[in-house]
């Protein structure tokens, strides 16, 4: 079965420091991978996606993600965190059998001043 | 910018009521989705639609139905509301991508409806 895992419920980082939010996946074939962000009392916003091509994908708000096929990971990164990056982050993978998106359980990012 | 509008931000209903949640998108997207979001469970797909009058069951369709009479509007219906349907409901829409694949295109979400069933 296709699945996606976000092993950390919460990530804390100081403003100005680099941040990483982890995501691992399990799919058959080539994965389509996505990151979304949810600010308080809002819906999800698309950040970036990996379909094919370069393993390093750049997205909105200075975020990027690295696709690692051997480790089946798609970690979200940012070189310098902002307090305004504090939000809930979701990784998602396409289910190859049903063509639907499977979302992880989310990671809450807290950036402290 | 894509705009997905959900008719209510907060809604309180009673057990047994029939509840309608409305969603409208303004970008002529073919695909529309209804999810529910619960802490620790992430997003779970209830129903989706890839065309007018078409609908497909998601992972948790029990107790729900949907209606898509017009391309821009996708309604979620709780036939007889129960307390375990208290949740945040999110609507989303997307284009159909190349090779007629739904899910290589990003989904655009509304701000959600927080529904409480008493």
């Amino acid at each position: 079965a296709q699945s996606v895992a976000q092993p950390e419920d919460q990530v804390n980082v100081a403003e100005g420091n680099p941040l990483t939010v982890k995501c691992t996946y399990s799919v058959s074939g080539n994965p389509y991978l996505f990151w979304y962000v949810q600010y308080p009392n809002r819906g999800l916003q698309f950040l970036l996606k990996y379909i094919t091509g370069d393993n390093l994908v750049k997205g909105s708000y200075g975020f990027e993600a690295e696709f690692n096929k051997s480790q089946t990971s798609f970690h979200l990164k940012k070189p310098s965190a902002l307090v305004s990056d504090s939000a809930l982050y979701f990784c998602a993978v396409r289910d190859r059998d049903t063509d639907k998106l499977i979302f992880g359980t989310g990671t809450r990012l807290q950036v402290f001043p | 910018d894509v705009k997905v509008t959900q008719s209510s931000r907060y809604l309180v209903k009673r057990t047994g009521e029939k509840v309608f949640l409305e969603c409208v998108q303004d970008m002529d997207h073919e695909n529309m989705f209804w999810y529910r979001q619960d802490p620790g469970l992430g997003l779970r797909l209830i129903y989706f639609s890839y065309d007018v009058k078409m609908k497909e069951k998601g992972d948790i369709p029990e107790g729900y139905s949907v209606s898509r009479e017009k391309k821009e509007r996708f309604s979620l219906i709780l036939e007889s509301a129960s307390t375990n349907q208290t949740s945040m409901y999110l609507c989303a829409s997307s284009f159909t991508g190349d090779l007629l694949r739904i899910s290589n295109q990003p989904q655009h979400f509304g701000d959600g409806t927080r529904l409480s069933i008493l």
Side-chain angles (χ1 to χ4, degrees), chain B residues 13 18-19 27 33 55 65 75 82 85 90 97 106 109 116:
Chain B
K13 296 291 183 181
K18 191 168 186 176
V19 181
M27 280 301 291
F33 309 83
K55 61 184 179 184
S65 63
S75 303
S82 63
Q85 292 178 309
L90 293 169
F109 286 80
S116 296

Side-chain angles (χ1 to χ4, degrees), chain A residues 19-41:
Chain A
L19 69 88
T20 298
V21 182
K22 295 180 181 177
C23 173
T24 59
Y25 65 89
S26 173
V27 298
S28 56
N30 296 322
Y32 291 173
L33 295 156
F34 300 79
W35 274 103
Y36 288 82
V37 60
Q38 185 179 33
Y39 297 103
N41 299 314

Side-chain angles (χ1 to χ4, degrees), chain A residues 36 38 41-43 49 99, chain B residues 9 37 102 104 107 110-111:
Chain A
Y36 288 82
Q38 185 179 33
N41 299 314
R42 301 297 300 277
K49 69 177 179 180
D99 205 33
Chain B
R9 293 297 303 275
Q37 180 181 7
I102 291 177
N104 64 355
Q107 295 182 12
D111 284 339

Side-chain angles (χ1 to χ4, degrees), chain B residues 14-68:
Chain B
R14 297 207 172 274
T15 304
E17 280 192 70
K18 191 168 186 176
V19 181
F20 294 85
L21 302 183
E22 305 288 345
C23 175
V24 176
Q25 52 95 3
D26 66 357
M27 280 301 291
D28 204 35
H29 284 167
E30 296 90 353
N31 311 305
M32 296 189 75
F33 309 83
W34 274 107
Y35 295 90
R36 63 177 283 177
Q37 180 181 7
D38 299 288
L41 297 177
L43 273 70
R44 293 179 292 168
L45 182 64
I46 305 171
Y47 268 97
F48 69 102
S49 168
Y50 53 87
D51 202 351
V52 176
K53 296 192 185 293
M54 306 300 289
K55 61 184 179 184
E56 294 281 344
K57 291 181 180 179
D59 300 316
I60 50 165
E62 296 79 20
Y64 303 95
S65 63
V66 290
S67 172
R68 191 157 181 212

Side-chain angles (χ1 to χ4, degrees), chain A residues 8 10-23 35-37 39 47-48 56 60-66 74-89 107-112:
Chain A
E8 301 156 316
Q10 181 150 333
V11 170
N12 299 317
V13 65
E15 188 174 30
N17 282 0
L19 69 88
T20 298
V21 182
K22 295 180 181 177
C23 173
W35 274 103
Y36 288 82
V37 60
Y39 297 103
L47 277 179
L48 50 80
L56 187 64
S60 307
Y61 312 123
F63 283 93
E64 57 190 27
E66 186 169 12
F74 189 55
H75 299 333
L76 182 70
K77 300 181 180 186
K78 188 173 182 182
S80 179
L82 300 172
V83 172
S84 57
D85 292 330
S86 299
L88 190 55
Y89 290 80
T107 298
R108 188 165 299 282
L109 173 67
Q110 193 73 42
V111 181
F112 294 95

